[in-house]
Amino acid sequence: ALDRDDPAGCASLAAEGAKLSGRYREELFGLQGICLNTAGDAKGAVAAYTEGLRRFPASAALHYNLAVTHLGHKALPEALVHAKGAVQSEPSSARYHGFLGEIYSQLGEKTPALLARLRALSLETQGAVAGSVLIGVLDHLTDGVSKDRRASKVTLQLRPPGEEGDFRPYQLIEAALKHRELERVGHGGKEDFPALRQQLVAILQALAEEQPDAGFARLYYLPFFSELKAKGHLETFSYALFTMGAAKDRGLALWLQKHSQQLKQLAAWAQGYRHPTPAAAPAANQ
């Protein structure tokens, strides 16, 4: 049916297959949803994914596909619920963390978006996913920063505490770091990779000092940064983030070549890191 470009037929066959017992049932629910979406039946796709999650509540792929469907129809709160379900079910997926970061960003949750994107880059430093995620991180570093002939300033919008936690104290620290960088550039400093890396080092250190007290993003992501520093991976990570830029920066390329063992240790630790569980995976009726 797929080869014949028949999404409705594909959805029907997948639905029949999902009724049978066997190892492919979870995949068939996902395929049914994808085909229904392709056929223009978003409501049917949501129903297929939801039924699949009722039977396979820990399926990262079904959570992710349902989140993508909700996002496509601007249902951001529902997309957020299932994006969280995807990362909790499969925390070693850079794609899922990057996707959660994108939803956070669209919801205006800037610091949670940064946390999710940095976690994604700890898992994948090259490729399409890493490229789009890194753009989000770099955009964050210049967010609220403005310069003209007369002055440079950082505009900060503090959000009240919510489901993701209270990030206002950290955001004040981050604003100070951004202002310091503006001052450096304003006094003749060159915008270059080493300076950018140092800014990120300061941000990573600040995140490592934050307490995972309350809120999903704080409880789920902050312990990662604390352990990143405790394990001695912080500096390595600050270089690894920019792996794709090694072709343009000789100093970065040389560092990466000389520290291949540390990079391997960081990658192994990041893949095996186990996040705390601040909340159960979302119910399948959303």
Side-chain angles (χ1 to χ4, degrees):
L2 283 173
D3 289 343
R4 294 194 305 272
D5 193 24
D6 178 14
C10 166
S12 177
L13 287 167
E16 289 299 313
K19 295 176 184 177
L20 307 174
S21 61
R23 58 183 292 195
Y24 297 109
R25 291 188 74 199
E26 179 184 334
E27 294 176 36
L28 285 165
F29 280 113
L31 181 60
Q32 181 188 4
I34 290 170
C35 290
L36 286 167
N37 240 340
T38 304
D41 185 0
K43 186 175 180 180
V46 168
Y49 294 138
T50 301
E51 176 61 17
L53 283 170
R54 188 179 72 82
R55 297 173 183 271
F56 302 97
S59 171
L62 288 172
H63 276 301
Y64 173 72
N65 286 340
L66 184 49
V68 169
T69 301
H70 282 311
L71 182 61
H73 293 273
K74 307 301 181 184
L76 288 172
E78 292 82 358
L80 179 63
V81 167
H82 290 284
K84 289 177 180 178
V87 299
Q88 287 182 276
S89 295
E90 194 173 323
S92 62
S93 168
R95 179 179 298 277
Y96 295 161
H97 288 288
F99 180 68
L100 177 57
E102 176 59 26
I103 295 176
Y104 276 143
S105 182
Q106 291 195 30
L107 285 167
E109 296 282 359
K110 296 178 181 179
T111 304
L114 174 67
L115 301 184
R117 284 166 168 161
L118 287 172
R119 178 64 173 117
L121 288 167
S122 76
L123 294 160
E124 183 178 314
T125 58
Q126 298 186 71
V129 171
S132 62
V133 171
L134 182 58
I135 288 172
V137 171
L138 295 177
D139 285 345
H140 180 89
L141 297 181
T142 57
D143 183 47
V145 174
S146 60
K147 294 181 283 187
D148 58 35
R149 293 179 179 177
R150 292 173 296 175
S152 301
K153 64 180 180 178
V154 176
T155 302
L156 181 63
Q157 294 180 340
L158 298 176
R159 291 175 66 90
E163 182 183 348
E164 306 307 323
D166 184 1
F167 287 98
R168 290 175 297 179
Y170 164 75
Q171 289 170 343
L172 290 171
I173 295 172
E174 186 181 87
L177 293 172
K178 289 181 178 180
H179 188 267
R180 187 174 69 187
E181 175 65 8
L182 276 176
E183 288 296 306
R184 188 189 68 80
V185 174
H187 286 84
K190 225 171 84 177
E191 295 188 67
D192 53 14
F193 160 73
L196 183 60
R197 189 188 72 81
Q198 284 300 322
Q199 186 180 356
L200 265 168
V201 166
I203 285 175
L204 291 170
Q205 289 175 334
L207 289 172
E209 298 300 321
E210 288 285 298
Q211 295 300 314
D213 40 24
F216 179 88
R218 293 183 70 85
L219 291 169
Y220 189 74
Y221 281 116
L222 287 179
F224 170 83
F225 295 94
S226 178
E227 190 168 326
L228 177 78
K229 182 178 179 181
K231 295 287 186 181
H233 295 307
L234 193 149
E235 182 181 24
T236 303
F237 184 42
S238 73
Y239 278 96
L241 284 168
F242 299 100
T243 300
M244 289 181 292
K248 297 181 180 179
D249 190 287
R250 181 168 174 76
L252 171 60
L254 288 173
W255 195 98
L256 294 173
Q257 290 172 9
K258 291 179 179 179
H259 297 81
S260 59
Q261 189 60 34
Q262 288 95 320
L263 291 167
K264 289 178 182 177
Q265 291 170 351
L266 168 64
W269 171 78
Q271 283 286 335
Y273 177 79
R274 300 188 67 175
H275 287 266
T277 307
N285 60 355
Q286 299 186 51

mmCIF file of all heavy atoms in Angstrom, residues 71-99:
data_model
loop_
_atom_site.group_PDB
_atom_site.id
_atom_site.type_symbol
_atom_site.label_atom_id
_atom_site.label_comp_id
_atom_site.label_asym_id
_atom_site.label_seq_id
_atom_site.Cartn_x
_atom_site.Cartn_y
_atom_site.Cartn_z
ATOM 1 N N LEU A 71 1.771 19.071 17.569
ATOM 2 C CA LEU A 71 2.517 20.279 17.215
ATOM 3 C C LEU A 71 2.092 20.791 15.843
ATOM 4 O O LEU A 71 1.966 21.996 15.629
ATOM 5 C CB LEU A 71 4.012 19.987 17.216
ATOM 6 C CG LEU A 71 4.938 21.174 16.908
ATOM 7 C CD1 LEU A 71 4.772 22.273 17.944
ATOM 8 C CD2 LEU A 71 6.391 20.718 16.841
ATOM 9 N N GLY A 72 1.838 19.870 14.912
ATOM 10 C CA GLY A 72 1.408 20.260 13.573
ATOM 11 C C GLY A 72 0.080 20.990 13.564
ATOM 12 O O GLY A 72 -0.217 21.730 12.623
ATOM 13 N N HIS A 73 -0.708 20.797 14.614
ATOM 14 C CA HIS A 73 -2.012 21.459 14.711
ATOM 15 C C HIS A 73 -2.010 22.510 15.816
ATOM 16 O O HIS A 73 -3.075 22.871 16.331
ATOM 17 C CB HIS A 73 -3.110 20.416 14.922
ATOM 18 C CG HIS A 73 -3.307 19.533 13.730
ATOM 19 N ND1 HIS A 73 -4.133 19.854 12.683
ATOM 20 C CD2 HIS A 73 -2.710 18.351 13.395
ATOM 21 C CE1 HIS A 73 -4.065 18.902 11.760
ATOM 22 N NE2 HIS A 73 -3.220 17.980 12.167
ATOM 23 N N LYS A 74 -0.797 22.959 16.195
ATOM 24 C CA LYS A 74 -0.605 24.059 17.148
ATOM 25 C C LYS A 74 -1.164 23.746 18.535
ATOM 26 O O LYS A 74 -1.449 24.673 19.315
ATOM 27 C CB LYS A 74 -1.241 25.358 16.632
ATOM 28 C CG LYS A 74 -0.796 25.742 15.221
ATOM 29 C CD LYS A 74 0.706 25.929 15.128
ATOM 30 C CE LYS A 74 1.138 26.341 13.731
ATOM 31 N NZ LYS A 74 2.611 26.436 13.587
ATOM 32 N N ALA A 75 -1.311 22.469 18.847
ATOM 33 C CA ALA A 75 -1.757 22.076 20.186
ATOM 34 C C ALA A 75 -0.513 21.886 21.058
ATOM 35 O O ALA A 75 -0.116 20.756 21.378
ATOM 36 C CB ALA A 75 -2.598 20.798 20.123
ATOM 37 N N LEU A 76 0.117 23.007 21.436
ATOM 38 C CA LEU A 76 1.414 22.948 22.109
ATOM 39 C C LEU A 76 1.374 22.279 23.482
ATOM 40 O O LEU A 76 2.276 21.501 23.807
ATOM 41 C CB LEU A 76 1.997 24.353 22.219
ATOM 42 C CG LEU A 76 2.506 24.958 20.906
ATOM 43 C CD1 LEU A 76 2.888 26.416 21.109
ATOM 44 C CD2 LEU A 76 3.694 24.179 20.393
ATOM 45 N N PRO A 77 0.380 22.533 24.334
ATOM 46 C CA PRO A 77 0.373 21.853 25.634
ATOM 47 C C PRO A 77 0.311 20.336 25.498
ATOM 48 O O PRO A 77 0.998 19.607 26.223
ATOM 49 C CB PRO A 77 -0.881 22.408 26.313
ATOM 50 C CG PRO A 77 -1.087 23.747 25.678
ATOM 51 C CD PRO A 77 -0.687 23.552 24.245
ATOM 52 N N GLU A 78 -0.510 19.859 24.549
ATOM 53 C CA GLU A 78 -0.609 18.411 24.339
ATOM 54 C C GLU A 78 0.701 17.861 23.755
ATOM 55 O O GLU A 78 1.152 16.766 24.128
ATOM 56 C CB GLU A 78 -1.772 18.090 23.401
ATOM 57 C CG GLU A 78 -3.153 18.363 23.985
ATOM 58 C CD GLU A 78 -3.567 19.832 23.865
ATOM 59 O OE1 GLU A 78 -2.763 20.642 23.364
ATOM 60 O OE2 GLU A 78 -4.688 20.147 24.305
ATOM 61 N N ALA A 79 1.310 18.619 22.844
ATOM 62 C CA ALA A 79 2.593 18.200 22.285
ATOM 63 C C ALA A 79 3.646 18.102 23.369
ATOM 64 O O ALA A 79 4.463 17.172 23.392
ATOM 65 C CB ALA A 79 3.035 19.183 21.200
ATOM 66 N N LEU A 80 3.636 19.046 24.312
ATOM 67 C CA LEU A 80 4.610 19.053 25.401
ATOM 68 C C LEU A 80 4.469 17.804 26.269
ATOM 69 O O LEU A 80 5.474 17.178 26.650
ATOM 70 C CB LEU A 80 4.424 20.310 26.251
ATOM 71 C CG LEU A 80 5.358 20.447 27.450
ATOM 72 C CD1 LEU A 80 6.805 20.540 27.006
ATOM 73 C CD2 LEU A 80 4.976 21.670 28.289
ATOM 74 N N VAL A 81 3.250 17.440 26.581
ATOM 75 C CA VAL A 81 3.008 16.250 27.416
ATOM 76 C C VAL A 81 3.675 15.021 26.802
ATOM 77 O O VAL A 81 4.375 14.260 27.485
ATOM 78 C CB VAL A 81 1.493 16.010 27.589
ATOM 79 C CG1 VAL A 81 1.232 14.618 28.171
ATOM 80 C CG2 VAL A 81 0.889 17.066 28.500
ATOM 81 N N HIS A 82 3.495 14.831 25.513
ATOM 82 C CA HIS A 82 3.995 13.605 24.889
ATOM 83 C C HIS A 82 5.468 13.706 24.488
ATOM 84 O O HIS A 82 6.149 12.679 24.387
ATOM 85 C CB HIS A 82 3.092 13.214 23.723
ATOM 86 C CG HIS A 82 1.753 12.748 24.204
ATOM 87 N ND1 HIS A 82 1.561 11.512 24.764
ATOM 88 C CD2 HIS A 82 0.546 13.374 24.253
ATOM 89 C CE1 HIS A 82 0.297 11.377 25.127
ATOM 90 N NE2 HIS A 82 -0.337 12.495 24.833
ATOM 91 N N ALA A 83 5.962 14.912 24.289
ATOM 92 C CA ALA A 83 7.408 15.064 24.095
ATOM 93 C C ALA A 83 8.143 14.681 25.366
ATOM 94 O O ALA A 83 9.202 14.037 25.327
ATOM 95 C CB ALA A 83 7.741 16.497 23.698
ATOM 96 N N LYS A 84 7.581 15.050 26.508
ATOM 97 C CA LYS A 84 8.158 14.623 27.794
ATOM 98 C C LYS A 84 8.082 13.108 27.929
ATOM 99 O O LYS A 84 9.021 12.467 28.422
ATOM 100 C CB LYS A 84 7.421 15.279 28.959
ATOM 101 C CG LYS A 84 7.670 16.760 29.113
ATOM 102 C CD LYS A 84 6.838 17.324 30.262
ATOM 103 C CE LYS A 84 7.064 18.803 30.458
ATOM 104 N NZ LYS A 84 6.214 19.354 31.536
ATOM 105 N N GLY A 85 6.968 12.529 27.506
ATOM 106 C CA GLY A 85 6.837 11.076 27.559
ATOM 107 C C GLY A 85 7.895 10.385 26.723
ATOM 108 O O GLY A 85 8.436 9.346 27.114
ATOM 109 N N ALA A 86 8.227 10.963 25.563
ATOM 110 C CA ALA A 86 9.235 10.364 24.685
ATOM 111 C C ALA A 86 10.616 10.377 25.332
ATOM 112 O O ALA A 86 11.321 9.368 25.320
ATOM 113 C CB ALA A 86 9.262 11.097 23.345
ATOM 114 N N VAL A 87 11.020 11.532 25.908
ATOM 115 C CA VAL A 87 12.362 11.590 26.496
ATOM 116 C C VAL A 87 12.460 10.730 27.744
ATOM 117 O O VAL A 87 13.515 10.150 28.031
ATOM 118 C CB VAL A 87 12.813 13.036 26.810
ATOM 119 C CG1 VAL A 87 12.877 13.876 25.555
ATOM 120 C CG2 VAL A 87 11.925 13.702 27.843
ATOM 121 N N GLN A 88 11.378 10.607 28.491
ATOM 122 C CA GLN A 88 11.411 9.764 29.684
ATOM 123 C C GLN A 88 11.474 8.285 29.309
ATOM 124 O O GLN A 88 12.102 7.494 30.017
ATOM 125 C CB GLN A 88 10.198 10.033 30.563
ATOM 126 C CG GLN A 88 10.272 11.365 31.295
ATOM 127 C CD GLN A 88 9.084 11.590 32.211
ATOM 128 O OE1 GLN A 88 8.024 12.045 31.775
ATOM 129 N NE2 GLN A 88 9.247 11.253 33.466
ATOM 130 N N SER A 89 10.843 7.933 28.199
ATOM 131 C CA SER A 89 10.854 6.534 27.775
ATOM 132 C C SER A 89 12.166 6.158 27.097
ATOM 133 O O SER A 89 12.602 5.012 27.181
ATOM 134 C CB SER A 89 9.686 6.264 26.806
ATOM 135 O OG SER A 89 8.442 6.432 27.461
ATOM 136 N N GLU A 90 12.783 7.109 26.405
ATOM 137 C CA GLU A 90 14.046 6.834 25.711
ATOM 138 C C GLU A 90 14.996 8.027 25.885
ATOM 139 O O GLU A 90 15.191 8.830 24.973
ATOM 140 C CB GLU A 90 13.794 6.579 24.223
ATOM 141 C CG GLU A 90 14.978 5.962 23.505
ATOM 142 C CD GLU A 90 14.647 5.563 22.078
ATOM 143 O OE1 GLU A 90 13.513 5.096 21.828
ATOM 144 O OE2 GLU A 90 15.520 5.729 21.207
ATOM 145 N N PRO A 91 15.616 8.148 27.071
ATOM 146 C CA PRO A 91 16.436 9.322 27.372
ATOM 147 C C PRO A 91 17.754 9.393 26.615
ATOM 148 O O PRO A 91 18.452 10.399 26.700
ATOM 149 C CB PRO A 91 16.687 9.189 28.877
ATOM 150 C CG PRO A 91 16.526 7.741 29.171
ATOM 151 C CD PRO A 91 15.479 7.246 28.225
ATOM 152 N N SER A 92 18.104 8.352 25.877
ATOM 153 C CA SER A 92 19.357 8.379 25.111
ATOM 154 C C SER A 92 19.154 8.868 23.679
ATOM 155 O O SER A 92 20.060 8.758 22.857
ATOM 156 C CB SER A 92 19.996 6.986 25.089
ATOM 157 O OG SER A 92 19.145 6.049 24.457
ATOM 158 N N SER A 93 17.985 9.416 23.360
ATOM 159 C CA SER A 93 17.694 9.896 22.005
ATOM 160 C C SER A 93 17.914 11.400 21.896
ATOM 161 O O SER A 93 17.190 12.197 22.507
ATOM 162 C CB SER A 93 16.247 9.571 21.614
ATOM 163 O OG SER A 93 15.875 10.254 20.435
ATOM 164 N N ALA A 94 18.894 11.803 21.111
ATOM 165 C CA ALA A 94 19.130 13.227 20.875
ATOM 166 C C ALA A 94 17.925 13.860 20.184
ATOM 167 O O ALA A 94 17.562 15.008 20.468
ATOM 168 C CB ALA A 94 20.384 13.413 20.022
ATOM 169 N N ARG A 95 17.302 13.123 19.276
ATOM 170 C CA ARG A 95 16.149 13.659 18.543
ATOM 171 C C ARG A 95 15.020 14.043 19.498
ATOM 172 O O ARG A 95 14.416 15.123 19.371
ATOM 173 C CB ARG A 95 15.637 12.629 17.534
ATOM 174 C CG ARG A 95 14.417 13.096 16.750
ATOM 175 C CD ARG A 95 13.962 12.038 15.755
ATOM 176 N NE ARG A 95 15.010 11.772 14.776
ATOM 177 C CZ ARG A 95 15.211 12.509 13.695
ATOM 178 N NH1 ARG A 95 14.448 13.558 13.452
ATOM 179 N NH2 ARG A 95 16.166 12.204 12.855
ATOM 180 N N TYR A 96 14.737 13.198 20.465
ATOM 181 C CA TYR A 96 13.623 13.470 21.368
ATOM 182 C C TYR A 96 13.914 14.668 22.267
ATOM 183 O O TYR A 96 13.051 15.515 22.506
ATOM 184 C CB TYR A 96 13.304 12.240 22.212
ATOM 185 C CG TYR A 96 12.797 11.058 21.418
ATOM 186 C CD1 TYR A 96 12.831 9.763 21.939
ATOM 187 C CD2 TYR A 96 12.287 11.208 20.131
ATOM 188 C CE1 TYR A 96 12.381 8.672 21.218
ATOM 189 C CE2 TYR A 96 11.835 10.128 19.396
ATOM 190 C CZ TYR A 96 11.882 8.863 19.947
ATOM 191 O OH TYR A 96 11.434 7.767 19.219
ATOM 192 N N HIS A 97 15.145 14.767 22.788
ATOM 193 C CA HIS A 97 15.499 15.928 23.614
ATOM 194 C C HIS A 97 15.466 17.209 22.784
ATOM 195 O O HIS A 97 14.978 18.244 23.254
ATOM 196 C CB HIS A 97 16.890 15.732 24.228
ATOM 197 C CG HIS A 97 16.936 14.713 25.313
ATOM 198 N ND1 HIS A 97 16.391 14.925 26.562
ATOM 199 C CD2 HIS A 97 17.469 13.453 25.335
ATOM 200 C CE1 HIS A 97 16.587 13.842 27.314
ATOM 201 N NE2 HIS A 97 17.236 12.950 26.596
ATOM 202 N N GLY A 98 15.976 17.144 21.557
ATOM 203 C CA GLY A 98 15.956 18.314 20.695
ATOM 204 C C GLY A 98 14.538 18.752 20.373
ATOM 205 O O GLY A 98 14.237 19.954 20.333
ATOM 206 N N PHE A 99 13.660 17.783 20.162
ATOM 207 C CA PHE A 99 12.261 18.089 19.859
ATOM 208 C C PHE A 99 11.583 18.724 21.064
ATOM 209 O O PHE A 99 10.835 19.704 20.927
ATOM 210 C CB PHE A 99 11.535 16.802 19.453
ATOM 211 C CG PHE A 99 10.080 16.997 19.111
ATOM 212 C CD1 PHE A 99 9.704 17.700 17.985
ATOM 213 C CD2 PHE A 99 9.093 16.473 19.930
ATOM 214 C CE1 PHE A 99 8.359 17.889 17.664
ATOM 215 C CE2 PHE A 99 7.754 16.653 19.621
ATOM 216 C CZ PHE A 99 7.382 17.359 18.488
#
